[in-house]
Amino acid sequence: MNETPNTITPQQQVQYDDTNIRHLSDVEHIRTRPGMYIGRLDDGSHAEDGIYVLLKETIDNSIDEFRMNAGKRIEIDIDDHLRVRVRDYGRGIPQGKLIEAVSVLNTGGKYDSKAFKKSVGMNGVGIKAVNFLSSHFEVRSYRDGQVRRVIFERGILQSDVTEPTEDETGTYIFFEPDDTLFKKYSFHDDIVETMLRNYTYLNSGLAIMYNGRRIYSRNGLEDLLKDRMTNDALYPIIHLQGEDIEIAFTHANQYGEEYYSFVNGQHTIQGGTHQSAFKEHIARTIKEYFGKFEYGDIRAGIVAAIAINVEEPIFESQTKIKLGSTQMAPDGESINKYVGDFVKQQVDNYLHIHQDVAEVIENKVKETERERKAMAGVTKLARDRAKKANLHNRKLRDCRIHFSDVKNDRKEESCIFITEGDSASGSITKSRDVNTQAVFSLRGKPLNSFGLTKKVVYENEEFNLLQAALDIEEGLDTLRYNKVIVATDADVDGMHIRLLIITFFLQFFPELIKKGHVYVLQTPLFRVRNRRTKIKKKEMREDGKKGDFVTRYCYSDEERLRAIEDLGPDPEITRFKGLGEISPEEFAGFIGPDIRLEQVTLHRDDQVQKLLEYYMGKNTMERQNFIIDNLVIEEDRPEEEEA
């Protein structure tokens, strides 16, 4: 008799009894479920990777000492991008509880608001996670003429020694992330420096020495905006401070809104209640000052930062990247009201005193208003067209996290590949993880949008549908994918399409790049395999199957030459000319766990406008002459077999 699909035979039933019930120690729990505590276990290529959470948790304790007026400098050294040393000159961890402080969950000094006020770390977890997820961890407490030195390996105590010392009071921590958990990890200097500069912006008077370099800020959030802005400010940055709040803002000639927010020195990358309150009240205050304008027009082009101090903050996760608190303190004033009252009073006063600045703001808002009204009809038609278009069949092959019947707890893993042509999108579509990876297919080369107004976004079908697929018309708060990956062929046409897409983002959604969401997919240029050399039985091909050849995928000429040398005589060399020429079976390896991505970054020193004007502007002859003058004839390669 045929069984229904839901029927389970006795042979299929899984045993479930007392032996299945396990208790995990603190060490085992964190090492078994590290994502609960530090987010993702990636290699350090991105600022959200777990190794930076380990670094941040360590530094946060030193910052909290500074905020309690104990120690004005912190020394941080990272050896070979692998091993971290942090030394502060605060009060030092009480030596009698040193082991418990770094190895027993829910143990710490920050439950006592007298010892630590408005601290980042409140849950007694952070430094324990650093200890348990490190192959080697050492903590020293310098206090009362003694140093207690404790050493752990993967969270297990190895040594405990106390001896006299003449060194200054404070705490020293060394840790080396466990490379069995963090595969091929490396601390990147630019990511670390950005983190450290954020600390100095928020803690005037704090000096951080990083690998011998001094990092310091005199003007707080004003310095932050000056360092991060990629377009010139339309008026001097307005910088206002209160007892537990600091804001800075200006407008620039750019689309979109750009915000940086912090709580107790913690960079809340995803914002939260404090950032939402600032966005609401800055627009309301300016609207009330002029007695006109819409909120969206007022905020267009704004670049702003807000930092607040909160007693016992509540974050939406252990990684503390989004504030969930609604009150400044338990049973205290609401964050919305606190931020609103400060912005209303201080910004309104500033505008009445500095009427020249108010005039610049008014002109900027009027310009935005005129542009919005000019394209109002186009915008409505484009929105209607985007809604009617069957995106899931025509342009977008979405991933399951956006379906109503699938939990949306993997948002950080979500990504969308933007590719060109049916063959390339077909290969990715057949190879992708349908739970987290979406594909958007362009039709031919997109329009060069440099120098155009945002009206083109709605008039151009490709851009309109791409904007709708990403859901970024009103800003990044509704962005549907954590990573936006440009996936084009590794040839001249592919590079051109890549530049056109990035130009589109730079023109109309620069925050998408500034916030680190845009990447370029690296795909292999060559496949090199040896057809003659037999491999040992214990060796396997890259697809996990035994075979009579070894395959290497090479992403550069250098890798190709090394592969030829390693694999011996008479190798078979295949040159991949397009994504569509790579079989779906092979492609699965390039967009899986070992995916190679290059993040598109944007900094003030990049001189983006000048670069865009030169490479994407109308100076065709100038570019043509540059190409002719710098043309390099590539040496003939060995004959290659086509894919």
Side-chain angles (χ1 to χ4, degrees):
M1 184 175 71
N2 292 331
E3 298 175 340
T4 63
N6 293 327
T7 301
I8 300 177
T9 64
Q11 292 79 8
Q12 292 175 304
Q13 290 180 345
V14 177
Q15 178 178 319
Y16 179 57
D17 55 28
D18 291 350
T19 62
N20 297 107
I21 306 300
R22 294 179 58 200
H23 170 75
L24 298 180
S25 67
D26 291 350
V27 176
E28 290 174 319
H29 192 269
I30 289 182
R31 289 182 64 82
T32 303
R33 298 285 187 267
M36 291 176 58
Y37 300 91
I38 64 162
R40 58 198 207 188
L41 297 178
D42 283 350
D43 63 1
S45 300
H46 314 301
E48 297 82 14
D49 290 351
I51 60 169
Y52 299 109
V53 179
L54 301 184
L55 176 60
K56 183 190 72 65
E57 293 287 3
T58 304
I59 298 173
D60 281 350
N61 293 328
S62 298
I63 295 295
D64 287 335
E65 287 295 308
F66 171 82
R67 294 167 76 89
M68 293 299 295
N69 299 313
K72 292 187 177 181
R73 75 181 191 278
I74 302 172
E75 297 166 0
I76 300 168
D77 294 284
I78 301 181
D79 300 336
D80 300 324
H81 305 285
L82 300 173
R83 295 171 292 277
V84 178
R85 293 177 173 82
V86 178
R87 173 70 156 100
D88 69 41
Y89 297 88
R91 294 165 292 183
I93 300 173
Q95 294 180 351
K97 294 289 186 178
L98 182 59
I99 291 178
E100 291 89 337
V102 299
S103 65
V104 179
L105 291 187
N106 307 315
T107 303
K110 296 171 188 176
Y111 298 111
D112 183 351
S113 60
K114 296 177 182 177
F116 288 93
K117 294 182 179 179
K118 296 162 186 173
S119 165
V120 176
M122 297 300 297
N123 299 321
V125 173
I127 199 64
K128 289 81 168 176
V130 180
N131 180 3
F132 300 163
L133 298 176
S134 296
S135 56
H136 186 91
F137 177 90
E138 177 181 343
V139 57
R140 303 176 196 169
S141 173
Y142 297 88
R143 195 174 169 124
D144 302 324
Q146 288 187 320
V147 56
R148 185 177 182 185
R149 178 186 180 194
V150 181
I151 297 175
F152 295 81
E153 290 184 1
R154 294 182 172 86
I156 306 302
L157 180 64
Q158 304 293 317
S159 173
D160 179 9
V161 177
T162 301
E163 56 190 10
T165 183
E166 295 182 358
D167 286 354
E168 292 183 61
T169 297
T171 301
Y172 166 94
I173 286 179
F174 169 91
F175 72 91
E176 183 173 1
D178 188 347
D179 60 8
T180 65
L181 299 173
F182 304 92
K183 306 290 186 181
K184 298 180 181 179
Y185 77 89
S186 175
F187 286 95
H188 290 229
D189 277 341
D190 57 338
I191 296 176
V192 174
E193 285 201 26
T194 297
M195 178 192 300
L196 300 184
R197 290 192 185 281
N198 284 343
Y199 281 121
T200 60
Y201 296 139
L202 299 165
N203 297 279
S204 298
L206 171 66
I208 294 180
M209 297 298 297
Y210 173 51
N211 285 348
R213 302 193 299 275
R214 186 171 184 262
I215 301 176
Y216 187 85
S217 171
R218 294 183 182 278
N219 303 305
L221 294 184
E222 182 180 348
D223 286 341
L224 182 149
L225 292 192
K226 286 179 178 177
D227 290 346
R228 300 288 171 82
M229 290 181 65
T230 54
N231 291 293
D232 293 336
L234 295 180
Y235 52 88
I237 294 170
I238 298 174
H239 185 206
L240 304 168
Q241 291 178 275
E243 182 179 354
D244 284 314
I245 185 171
E246 177 182 0
I247 66 171
F249 70 93
T250 186
H251 281 80
N253 277 324
Q254 63 184 44
Y255 289 99
E257 306 168 33
E258 188 175 336
Y259 300 98
Y260 303 89
S261 62
F262 304 84
V263 175
N264 296 5
Q266 164 66 30
H267 187 190
T268 42
I269 299 170
Q270 294 183 3
T273 52
H274 58 320
Q275 181 172 303
S276 298
F278 176 80
K279 290 174 63 176
E280 174 190 344
H281 291 290
I282 191 69
R284 177 176 295 171
T285 299
I286 293 175
K287 176 182 175 69
E288 290 177 355
Y289 175 83
F290 290 114
K292 55 185 177 181
F293 302 133
E294 293 190 7
Y295 286 177
D297 294 336
I298 291 169
R299 291 199 299 253
I302 195 170
V303 185
I306 177 172
I308 65 172
N309 296 322
V310 179
E311 282 192 28
E312 300 184 21
I314 299 172
F315 296 96
E316 293 196 0
S317 70
Q318 172 61 24
T319 53
K320 307 183 183 81
I321 57 177
K322 186 173 184 180
L323 181 68
S325 298
T326 58
Q327 295 179 319
M328 292 296 291
D331 302 322
E333 186 176 19
S334 76
I335 286 177
N336 188 282
K337 184 177 186 305
Y338 180 80
V339 172
D341 288 348
F342 177 83
V343 170
K344 167 65 178 174
Q345 180 181 7
Q346 297 297 323
V347 174
D348 187 70
N349 288 345
Y350 186 95
L351 295 178
H352 277 94
I353 295 171
H354 301 86
Q355 295 188 12
D356 55 332
V357 172
E359 184 179 352
V360 176
I361 294 175
E362 183 178 22
N363 290 335
K364 166 62 176 172
V365 178
K366 283 181 176 179
E367 181 183 339
T368 302
E369 183 182 58
R370 283 194 296 270
E371 183 178 341
R372 174 179 57 80
K373 289 180 177 179
M375 65 181 193
V378 176
T379 302
K380 184 179 185 305
L381 289 174
R383 286 173 179 164
D384 292 342
R385 195 164 64 242
K387 288 179 181 178
K388 291 177 182 177
N390 190 342
L391 289 177
H392 295 282
N393 291 330
R394 291 186 57 205
K395 309 292 295 182
L396 175 67
R397 295 164 179 87
D398 210 349
C399 51
R400 288 179 177 168
I401 66 166
H402 296 304
F403 299 165
S404 59
D405 59 341
V406 176
K407 290 183 179 180
N408 192 17
D409 58 357
R410 300 181 66 186
K411 179 68 180 293
E412 287 193 5
E413 299 178 47
S414 66
C415 66
I416 182 170
F417 295 96
I418 302 175
T419 188
E420 184 272 330
D422 294 335
S423 58
S425 63
S427 291
I428 296 180
T429 300
K430 292 176 183 177
S431 310
R432 66 182 175 135
D433 177 352
V434 295
N435 292 307
T436 59
Q437 296 178 328
V439 182
F440 184 91
S441 178
L442 294 168
R443 185 181 67 248
K445 288 186 179 180
L447 179 71
N448 180 1
S449 59
F450 176 70
L452 303 179
T453 67
K454 201 170 184 179
K455 185 178 180 182
V456 73
V457 178
Y458 299 98
E459 291 179 328
N460 182 278
E461 184 180 29
E462 298 289 305
F463 288 159
N464 182 35
L465 295 180
L466 177 57
Q467 173 184 261
L470 298 177
D471 197 9
I472 53 176
E473 181 182 11
E474 302 296 335
L476 297 194
D477 289 345
T478 53
L479 176 65
R480 301 177 78 239
Y481 310 95
N482 189 43
K483 292 180 181 176
V484 179
I485 302 171
V486 182
T488 59
D489 293 342
D491 58 14
V492 174
D493 282 340
M495 288 289 290
H496 191 202
I497 294 171
R498 181 188 306 176
L499 290 174
L500 290 168
I501 296 171
I502 293 175
T503 298
F504 167 67
F505 290 142
L506 286 172
Q507 276 287 104
F508 304 115
F509 306 101
E511 194 180 7
L512 194 66
I513 293 177
K514 289 183 180 181
K515 295 295 185 181
H517 293 289
V518 180
Y519 299 81
V520 172
L521 175 67
Q522 302 296 305
T523 52
L525 296 174
F526 306 97
R527 180 182 63 205
V528 179
R529 56 186 179 185
N530 191 305
R531 292 173 294 185
R532 292 184 175 179
T533 303
K534 299 290 183 180
I535 62 175
K536 298 176 183 179
K537 289 184 179 180
K538 65 179 181 179
E539 293 181 345
M540 310 286 277
R541 292 194 333 212
E542 292 196 4
D543 59 7
K545 299 177 182 178
K546 295 179 182 178
D548 60 354
F549 56 82
V550 179
T551 301
R552 294 275 187 87
Y553 294 102
C554 308
Y555 291 75
S556 65
D557 277 326
E558 292 76 14
E559 290 187 20
R560 175 179 65 90
L561 294 173
R562 283 199 301 271
I564 293 172
E565 183 178 349
D566 292 343
L567 297 183
D570 194 23
E572 173 192 279
I573 305 172
T574 300
R575 172 68 159 92
F576 296 120
K577 293 187 177 180
L579 302 184
E581 296 178 348
I582 303 175
S583 69
E585 292 75 18
E586 285 184 297
F587 215 112
F590 309 141
I591 61 174
D594 296 325
I595 189 172
R596 291 198 192 186
L597 297 175
E598 182 180 355
Q599 190 173 34
V600 180
T601 59
L602 183 59
H603 305 288
R604 185 173 184 84
D605 295 338
D606 291 337
Q607 297 183 316
V608 175
Q609 282 303 115
K610 290 184 178 179
L611 286 172
L612 288 176
E613 286 173 7
Y614 183 84
Y615 289 105
M616 309 305 290
K618 298 181 179 180
N619 54 328
T620 307
M621 287 305 301
E622 187 179 0
R623 289 198 303 272
Q624 180 176 312
N625 291 334
F626 175 84
I627 294 171
I628 294 172
D629 294 341
N630 293 274
L631 184 65
V632 176
I633 305 298
E634 189 175 8
E635 294 181 2
D636 292 335
R637 291 194 181 113
E639 186 175 337
E640 297 164 358
E641 187 173 316
E642 298 295 331

